Amino acid sequence: MAIAKIIKDVLFTEEQIKRRVSEMVKRIDEDFRSKDLVVIAVLKGSVVFLADLVRGFTRPLAFDFIGVSSYGNSTSSPGLVTLEKGITVDVADKSVLVVDDILDTGRSLCFVKTHLQRFKPREIKICVLLEKKGTRIVDVEADYVGFEIPNVFVLGYGLDYEDRYRHLPYIASLREEYYNELRRKGIGPI
Ligand code: PRP
């Protein structure tokens, strides 16, 4: 499907994202100064954000990926999150920064945080590019947030619509007709 056909508004341009990501890196870099940092990115939506974020750091760090199922059938099967890919990096006694593209109901990040705790890291901080307000179902807070957004379906910069459009360098909202179609299927904003 043509990109222009499905996009309602561009919420954040490539330039705006770039600026915000570099501000975030500066702050995180300062906060984690002299700590042994391991970045854990939540597949797949966080991958583009992760790539830009880690390239801003000027210090040594390790990164790895974790895969969980969430969102997919969220409105029809609430609360079900399962581990699809575990980490292989050692996080014991390290400072962990969990990176995700979006914090919505909080189920995915709550699950990830609980899962990682069993490997006894020294601390776990959460960094998300986007945060929806008023949609949390479980209690989880991000320590670093790029942008707050309303409860709309967003795509681009790692975020997908039916597993496509993750490559777009900007973040856009989905047009109503497609959004309604997702709701009919039980996917997307509650
Ligand atoms: C999305 C997104 C977050 C999660 C946020 O992932 O990347 O990980 O949902 O939603 P929550 O706060 O309600 O849990 P999704 O499961 O769609 O997988 P994807 O990243 O592979 O697209």
Side-chain angles (χ1 to χ4, degrees), residues 96-166:
V96 170
L97 182 72
V98 176
V99 172
D100 208 350
D101 52 349
I102 187 165
L103 174 56
D104 186 357
T105 67
R107 286 182 196 126
S108 311
L109 282 171
C110 182
F111 177 94
V112 166
K113 202 171 174 183
T114 308
H115 175 77
L116 293 177
Q117 261 150 1
R118 73 173 69 158
F119 301 106
K120 307 268 182 266
R122 191 210 302 211
E123 62 179 336
I124 301 177
K125 300 280 185 198
I126 293 178
C127 170
V128 294
L129 183 64
L130 305 176
E131 178 181 26
K132 283 189 186 177
K133 282 288 180 192
T135 56
R136 219 72 73 245
I137 286 174
V138 296
D139 191 20
V140 57
E141 275 183 36
D143 302 279
Y144 306 96
V145 176
F147 305 102
E148 280 179 15
I149 59 164
N151 190 19
V152 293
F153 191 97
V154 281
L155 64 144
Y157 199 73
L159 293 133
D160 72 305
Y161 164 56
E162 302 208 311
D163 228 10
R164 295 211 170 106
Y165 311 102
R166 294 186 196 270

Side-chain angles (χ1 to χ4, degrees), residues 30-95:
E30 266 177 45
D31 291 355
F32 282 79
R33 205 174 331 132
S34 72
K35 289 180 179 169
D36 206 351
L37 176 61
V38 181
V39 179
I40 305 285
V42 186
L43 292 169
K44 307 179 218 175
S46 66
V47 167
V48 179
F49 179 38
L50 172 83
D52 284 345
L53 195 74
V54 292
R55 284 181 297 167
F57 287 103
T58 53
R59 61 219 279 318
L61 58 82
F63 67 76
D64 195 3
F65 300 94
I66 188 165
V68 296
S69 73
S70 59
Y71 230 79
N73 299 307
S74 65
T75 55
S76 53
S77 55
L80 185 67
V81 180
T82 53
L83 184 71
E84 291 184 347
K85 187 218 165 289
I87 56 166
T88 52
V89 72
D90 179 19
V91 296
D93 213 28
K94 309 243 168 79
S95 292

